[in-house]
Amino acid sequence: MDIPRIYNVTESAHRIHNPFTPEKFATLGAVLRLEPGTRVLDLGSGSGEMLCTWARDYGITGVGIDMSQLFSKQAELRAEELGVAGSVEFIHGDAAGFVADEKCGVAACVGATWIGGGVAGTIELLTKSLCTNGIILIGEPYWRQLPPTEAVAKECFANSVSDFLMLPDLVASFDELGYDVVEMVLADQEGWDRYEAAKWLEANPDDDFAKEIRAEMTIAPKRHVTYVREFLGWGVFALMAR
């Protein structure tokens, strides 16, 4: 079980596998008013930066699940580096359908809502691990401005314009599902730069797959500044059931 190999080449040096910066994750932890001992579930935990830094800074405990063997190992190493290996656990596995053995105060899926077939299904999955009055975190893309054509949408990693909503419509969709948005932290263009530009200098240039994606990385900077940076937004939304 693993993610597509391209991500292990282009994102092996990433600590954060979305357009958030360390400062944004710190802000998110602060606005959630995390208390020591709060248990956090992170589905699609990547290299574990959110759980590890929150364990260090706010004293949370938790578990992360990710399909990538590489990222799961990196998460364990990061926990050891920050001295929080006794507080957080990382499981290499499929987060789709995962339900925690112990109820959590925060249940998160930050950028991998495909595991539940979309936002609604992922929220439904997360509620199975959530304490009463707990908080759900959803990380999701949205359109900063509506792409004028389907071709532009595809340059932004979407299959079509309909894949993502404008920000007001995304927030409204949470309301329609019966959830109040109680906090949100949005990525900015600097975050997109750090996430995308870090792929262009391959972290694994000796990987025998690296040459195959060199052509993709050659055109990526122009695509990023022309399309992704201008059209695509991303944010983490804190939800509570009404």
Side-chain angles (χ1 to χ4, degrees):
M1 179 184 297
D2 210 336
I3 59 174
R5 193 176 175 195
I6 187 172
Y7 297 107
N8 286 334
V9 177
T10 60
E11 296 191 26
S12 63
H14 285 57
R15 282 184 172 167
I16 300 172
H17 302 277
N18 55 57
F20 252 24
T21 60
E23 293 76 17
K24 292 287 186 180
F25 268 128
T27 296
L28 181 60
V31 299
L32 292 177
R33 306 170 194 172
L34 294 171
E35 296 182 357
T38 299
R39 188 159 180 81
V40 180
L41 171 68
D42 188 7
L43 300 185
S45 51
S47 295
E49 192 71 2
M50 185 177 80
L51 285 181
C52 290
T53 55
W54 285 2
R56 177 195 63 192
D57 298 338
Y58 305 111
I60 63 99
T61 65
V63 59
I65 301 90
D66 199 273
M67 287 183 65
S68 169
Q69 296 184 44
L70 174 63
F71 299 164
S72 298
K73 181 60 176 178
Q74 289 178 335
E76 292 175 348
L77 293 174
R78 184 63 167 156
E80 292 174 4
E81 178 185 6
L82 297 184
V84 296
S87 299
V88 291
E89 174 189 7
F90 294 98
I91 299 171
H92 171 238
D94 188 355
F98 183 90
V99 177
D101 293 335
E102 180 181 344
K103 295 292 186 179
C104 301
V106 177
C109 182
V110 180
T113 56
W114 51 267
I115 67 173
V119 170
T122 300
I123 290 175
E124 182 180 0
L125 173 60
L126 291 170
T127 59
K128 297 177 182 179
S129 300
L130 197 65
C131 295
T132 302
N133 297 323
I135 292 176
I136 287 175
L137 296 181
I138 291 290
E140 186 72 2
Y142 59 87
W143 294 123
R144 295 181 65 242
Q145 53 180 312
L146 203 63
T149 66
E150 295 292 338
V152 170
K154 290 179 180 178
E155 294 287 355
C156 299
F157 311 116
N159 292 316
S160 71
V161 174
S162 63
D163 279 6
F164 307 135
L165 299 171
M166 296 289 287
L167 182 57
D169 297 322
L170 178 57
V171 171
S173 74
F174 299 132
D175 177 68
E176 293 167 2
L177 291 170
Y179 288 84
D180 290 325
V181 177
V182 295
E183 260 295 354
M184 69 179 189
V185 179
L186 304 182
D188 54 24
Q189 289 175 309
E190 169 66 14
W192 276 113
D193 293 345
R194 299 283 55 76
Y195 175 52
E196 290 297 328
K199 302 175 185 178
W200 304 338
L201 180 63
E202 293 125 337
N204 279 333
D206 297 327
D207 191 297
D208 58 11
F209 188 56
K211 292 181 180 179
E212 298 183 33
I213 63 170
R214 183 64 259 171
E216 172 68 17
M217 292 301 100
T218 297
I219 65 173
K222 182 178 179 181
R223 181 181 63 201
H224 171 64
V225 299
T226 304
Y227 301 108
V228 177
R229 202 175 192 272
E230 301 304 314
F231 287 93
L232 196 58
W234 195 86
V236 179
F237 303 86
L239 313 176
M240 290 188 70
R242 190 171 305 119

